[in-house]
Amino acid sequence: MRSSLVIFFLLLSQSAFADQDPNRPTGKIAKDLQIEEAVFIECFKPVNPEPDKFPSGAEQRANKAILLPCLQKANPAITNDRLDAVMDTYRPEGAFRK
């Protein structure tokens, strides 16, 4: 029983990741955007990240049109540039907007 509790708490202490993009730590992103992690996860659900990690401009704009307004409902101070900077920080392959 005790080992089950320890494992449970270890799992809780680890960063969660977005369902659609398992490489992004949702807790860290949410903290940097000054929103709740649950808000980020919910806003990211309808986003379709590019599997090859290099979305076209059209794909980026389509995803941003979904994600940014949703996030701004929780924190109106989130700008397009801020969202790009935070997401690029946690992009496993690094920023592609240089």
Side-chain angles (χ1 to χ4, degrees):
M1 174 74 175
R2 182 177 174 177
S3 63
S4 297
L5 287 175
V6 170
I7 291 170
F8 176 75
F9 285 113
L10 285 174
L11 290 173
L12 283 179
S13 67
Q14 295 176 354
S15 289
F17 294 90
D19 288 344
Q20 300 288 26
D21 190 348
N23 298 309
R24 295 193 207 284
T26 57
K28 292 177 181 179
I29 294 170
K31 181 179 179 189
D32 287 358
L33 293 173
Q34 299 178 332
I35 59 173
E36 295 294 321
E37 183 178 17
V39 170
F40 179 80
I41 291 170
E42 194 59 33
C43 288
F44 198 81
K45 281 181 180 178
V47 171
N48 294 308
E50 179 63 30
D52 71 3
K53 306 293 182 195
F54 297 99
S56 69
E59 290 168 320
Q60 290 177 45
R61 287 186 295 278
N63 285 332
K64 190 75 66 67
I66 295 167
L67 185 59
L68 186 58
C70 183
L71 296 173
Q72 287 174 327
K73 288 178 185 174
N75 179 356
I78 298 172
T79 63
N80 184 64
D81 290 341
R82 179 68 184 146
L83 179 58
D84 285 346
V86 170
M87 296 301 279
D88 285 348
T89 297
Y90 299 103
R91 189 180 310 282
E93 64 280 1
F96 58 83
R97 283 181 283 290
K98 294 211 180 219

